[in-house]
Amino acid sequence: MTKDIYVQARADHVASLASAAPLSAIEELVWNALDADAREVKIDLVQNALGGIDAIRVSDDGCGIDLLKVEETFGSLGGSWKMPDGTTTQNFHRRLHGRHGRGRFKAFALGTHVEWRTTMKAGDDLISYTLAGDASEPGVFHIEQTQPGPATGTEVYITGVRATADSLTVPGPAVQALAAKFALYLKAYPGVGVWFCGIPVSPVVVQKATTDYVVTLESGISAKLEVIEWRKKFSGKGRIVFCGGDGFTLHERPSGVRSGQPFSYTAYLVGGRFGELAAENALVMDELHPEVRAWLDATRKILKEHFRQRAASAAAERLAKWIAEKSYPFAADDDSPARAKFDAGVADMRANLEGFDALPTAERAYLFQLLLRAVGGDSQTTSVPAD
């Protein structure tokens, strides 16, 4: 069987949907897999001898793309196979993410040619086919039936990879960014696994700490606030993410609160009220909407206190370590002006010398002695300890 289907939308509109950042496109393909009841989703890069990307493959063990609904799935922009039920997946009744049928077109942000190689179940039989599209014809998809595969699932195979996708060759940042996006979903459904180049996309692996709070407005409405601190910094600042009661992301924005720590964070606001605000298009108004502004203000207040306490705790741990290793030249109860000047100098060192906290004991002690002389203090440490 060979057949063509056509998207009922202008080609330039379809092409505009394909202009997305590489990780955003990967995220949409993962959501499509999860919405098809996948329990395992694997993102792999097919690289050549020079380290360039020849192809990108996103494979899953979901239920596949229904051949009877493929024209509806790919031919109607704004429609989706997910609409009839509208809330949960077919087999495992997990919460659905997308409903507008747009995410599939983001695959073209990764490469110029995309093939959906899918196997579905029809009664007791398996049916396999390939659905292919090319950026040169953004509104046309070609269907060709193939020999049945061994099990249901879909592989999205992308070639003609765009230069912007080279950022994916460094897996660490990609894994952490995806873990932040899917954190609440993966916690809600622990039987689901996502892998990027063989590395598990798991919040547990990349998070440094997680703390829960309750945010309550003056009106009495409450929501859960989950603050996850990441082991490594993102390229951006901390973010506040509004989620529905089911944990799905509805809107996110920069938090405007600095952590003061060498790691970034994401603050998830979770509550049923946010689904209602999203339906009213209020969340996207941010500060311009009174209730959204109230949620943001209350969240920022908690975040500021959270990181104040975290900074104080981290400082106490550092000081205890320095005193124990005998590199710090003052006693813990010393309240002299010299110590105050010295501590200010140490803070400046930590801010400007990358890796200061990881210095060997002897090197740190030597720097402390130099700083002590500069501020005119009297050392209570008689010798520089050997490392």
Side-chain angles (χ1 to χ4, degrees):
M1 179 194 78
T2 302
K3 183 178 181 181
D4 292 344
I5 58 176
Y6 300 87
V7 176
Q8 302 302 309
R10 289 174 58 90
D12 58 347
H13 181 48
V14 176
S16 71
L17 292 174
S19 59
L23 267 178
S24 176
I26 292 290
E27 178 190 345
E28 287 294 340
L29 293 176
V30 173
W31 277 126
N32 284 344
L34 296 176
D35 284 349
D37 265 325
R39 287 168 294 185
E40 291 189 355
V41 186
K42 298 178 181 179
I43 306 113
D44 293 296
L45 308 180
V46 180
Q47 294 181 261
N48 55 42
L50 298 177
I53 305 175
D54 286 338
I56 298 172
R57 180 172 52 236
V58 181
S59 55
D60 69 67
D61 61 351
C63 60
I65 302 171
D66 191 339
L67 183 59
L68 298 178
K69 298 179 180 179
V70 69
E71 287 197 57
E72 176 187 349
T73 303
F74 280 82
S76 179
L77 181 61
S80 174
W81 65 269
K82 304 164 189 175
M83 286 298 290
D85 176 274
T87 57
T88 61
T89 60
Q90 297 176 13
N91 298 328
F92 300 123
H93 305 292
R94 302 195 304 245
R95 179 69 175 171
L96 282 171
H97 174 258
R99 299 188 198 176
H100 303 295
R102 298 171 182 169
R104 58 187 172 265
F105 295 103
K106 284 192 177 182
F108 290 104
L110 296 168
T112 58
H113 187 79
V114 184
E115 293 184 4
W116 285 261
R117 303 167 178 177
T118 189
T119 299
M120 57 164 285
K121 192 169 185 180
D124 294 330
D125 299 323
L126 292 175
I127 298 176
S128 298
Y129 66 96
T130 296
L131 189 144
D134 198 276
S136 61
E137 295 181 294
V140 183
F141 294 93
H142 309 282
I143 302 175
E144 183 174 354
Q145 193 163 347
T146 59
Q147 290 296 317
T152 63
T154 299
E155 175 185 277
V156 185
Y157 197 78
I158 303 164
T159 53
V161 177
R162 302 183 190 276
T164 52
D166 286 346
S167 60
L168 300 175
T169 58
V170 183
V175 169
Q176 182 161 299
L178 289 172
K181 290 291 185 181
F182 292 97
L184 298 190
Y185 185 95
L186 294 173
K187 286 187 176 184
Y189 304 109
V192 173
V194 180
W195 286 265
F196 185 91
C197 296
I199 303 172
V201 175
S202 169
V204 175
V205 173
V206 295
Q207 72 188 30
K208 185 181 182 72
T210 178
T211 310
D212 292 343
Y213 296 96
V214 175
V215 181
T216 304
L217 301 187
E218 291 183 0
S219 61
I221 303 175
S222 296
K224 177 184 175 182
L225 174 63
E226 183 172 350
V227 183
I228 297 182
E229 301 166 17
W230 307 107
R231 292 186 182 277
K232 295 182 179 179
K233 271 194 173 184
F234 286 115
S235 58
K237 306 294 185 182
R239 303 188 71 78
I240 294 175
V241 180
F242 288 90
C243 304
D246 49 20
F248 273 81
T249 297
L250 300 170
H251 177 64
E252 64 177 275
R253 53 155 296 131
S255 68
V257 177
R258 298 186 59 153
S259 69
Q261 301 294 321
F263 46 79
S264 57
Y265 67 93
T266 306
Y268 299 92
L269 265 174
V270 184
R273 175 58 180 156
F274 303 129
E276 299 170 359
L277 290 171
E280 299 168 6
N281 292 319
L283 292 180
V284 295
M285 296 177 66
D286 289 326
E287 311 278 358
L288 298 178
H289 190 278
E291 184 178 341
V292 177
R293 183 174 65 248
W295 284 112
L296 290 170
D297 289 345
T299 300
R300 288 173 182 142
K301 183 177 180 180
I302 291 175
L303 288 174
K304 288 177 182 178
E305 177 61 20
H306 171 82
F307 286 111
R308 187 195 68 77
Q309 293 183 12
R310 290 285 285 115
S313 176
E317 290 175 6
R318 282 194 304 272
L319 181 59
K321 174 188 174 183
W322 295 343
I323 291 176
E325 70 184 17
K326 298 183 179 179
S327 64
Y328 188 77
F330 293 94
D333 58 354
D334 190 317
D335 59 358
S336 65
R339 182 186 178 185
K341 290 181 181 179
F342 179 87
D343 286 348
V346 172
D348 190 57
M349 279 185 177
R350 292 190 66 250
N352 292 284
L353 295 179
E354 186 175 354
F356 177 85
D357 290 342
L359 286 174
T361 302
E363 292 183 24
R364 181 164 42 249
Y366 180 71
L367 287 176
F368 280 173
Q369 289 297 321
L370 292 178
L371 178 60
L372 184 69
R373 294 170 193 166
V375 300
D378 294 324
S379 174
Q380 296 186 26
T381 302
T382 57
S383 62
V384 176
D387 190 42

